[in-house]
Amino acid sequence: MDNSVHTVDELFQQMIKLPGYSPNTIRTYSDTYRKHILPVLGSVDIKDLHYPELQGFFTDMSGVGKSAVITTRTVLKGIGNLAIKSGYITSWPIDLVQTSLGMRWKTRI
């Protein structure tokens, strides 16, 4: 595992440059990222985010609309997946997090 610091912001910037994202998706993800993720988690090292921190983040989103919660979760899942593929972390517990929507997320195969 890589021991250097890789912030959530750094990983997000890398993620949206990956092939496969349409301009509209990049715009939606960027807007959601700037509004909900960047102010709270942007400067955090990905290695410092575990279940308690992620659960607390989503618990604090209780007043946010369904669409924003879903998009936020999708963006964080992408960031975590990129971090795993890059060897920065070995696991990402986003699927264990309970959201304000009253559900846990199931991984689709």
Side-chain angles (χ1 to χ4, degrees):
M1 191 165 78
D2 182 338
N3 288 323
S4 55
V5 173
H6 300 281
T7 65
V8 170
D9 188 52
E10 173 189 333
L11 289 161
F12 176 75
Q13 300 307 324
Q14 291 175 22
M15 184 187 88
I16 60 170
K17 291 177 184 167
L18 293 172
Y21 291 115
S22 72
N24 188 46
T25 298
I26 291 170
R27 188 172 30 262
T28 300
Y29 285 7
S30 295
D31 290 347
T32 298
Y33 176 77
R34 272 191 305 277
K35 186 172 182 182
H36 300 289
I37 301 170
L38 179 62
V40 180
L41 301 176
S43 63
V44 177
D45 186 340
I46 196 74
K47 290 185 295 299
D48 293 336
L49 286 176
H50 306 285
Y51 171 78
E53 292 82 18
L54 291 170
Q55 183 60 66
F57 174 77
F58 278 98
T59 298
D60 290 345
M61 288 187 79
S62 62
V64 177
K66 179 180 179 179
S67 175
V69 171
I70 290 170
T71 304
T72 298
R73 186 217 172 255
T74 300
V75 171
L76 283 172
K77 185 168 180 89
I79 289 169
N81 288 342
L82 176 59
I84 290 170
K85 290 176 186 176
S86 300
Y88 304 150
I89 57 176
T90 58
S91 64
W92 187 238
I94 195 76
D95 290 329
L96 301 175
V97 170
Q98 183 88 19
T99 69
S100 60
L101 304 175
M103 65 176 77
R104 278 190 237 216
W105 302 89
K106 300 195 188 238
T107 304
R108 293 186 182 138
I109 299 175

